[in-house]
Amino acid sequence: TTMFEAPPLPSLQSALADPTNPIGMRMRATYFLRQAYDNYMKNKSDDDETKTSDEDISLVAIQTLSKSLNDARHGALLRHEFAYVMGQLRDERSISALEKTLRD
């Protein structure tokens, strides 16, 4: 069982889309996205590799974190957390956003 029920994916996306939201809200959304990614990847069976999903939660999480990472209005502390979580995902789809941030 989980200690907290994760908010729906659109709520997490909107929490990170607005850099004026409280930092605690955005931080929680970041880690809930990581949890959603982990749960999705853990529950994804090998058969799913051949199917296209209506909603690939792992891709949504990476895209949301990437977009937030590249928005300087979030500030250095939170952008560091976005990069940290993206590194924890160990997903190659995160590499281009992380590299772009390093070049900027």
Side-chain angles (χ1 to χ4, degrees), residues 2 34-49 51 53 55-58:
T2 59
R34 181 188 67 189
Q35 188 63 46
Y37 175 96
D38 289 343
N39 290 342
Y40 177 80
M41 296 304 282
K42 184 172 33 172
N43 295 324
K44 187 174 152 182
S45 70
D46 292 334
D47 295 344
D48 292 341
E49 304 265 339
K51 298 181 210 169
S53 173
E55 182 171 45
D56 181 345
I57 293 171
S58 65

Side-chain angles (χ1 to χ4, degrees), residues 10-11 61 66 82-83:
S11 295
S66 296
F82 300 147

Side-chain angles (χ1 to χ4, degrees), residues 59-104:
L59 181 60
V60 171
I62 290 168
Q63 289 172 337
T64 302
L65 290 167
S66 296
K67 184 176 179 183
S68 297
L69 176 64
N70 289 306
D71 186 343
R73 296 175 300 161
H74 281 291
L77 173 68
L78 211 47
R79 292 176 70 214
H80 167 269
E81 292 301 316
F82 300 147
Y84 176 73
V85 167
M86 291 172 75
Q88 287 181 321
L89 300 181
R90 296 178 178 241
D91 191 310
E92 290 179 357
R93 297 173 292 180
S94 296
I95 293 172
S96 62
L98 291 167
E99 286 178 338
K100 180 184 182 308
T101 302
L102 288 173
R103 285 191 300 270
D104 289 345

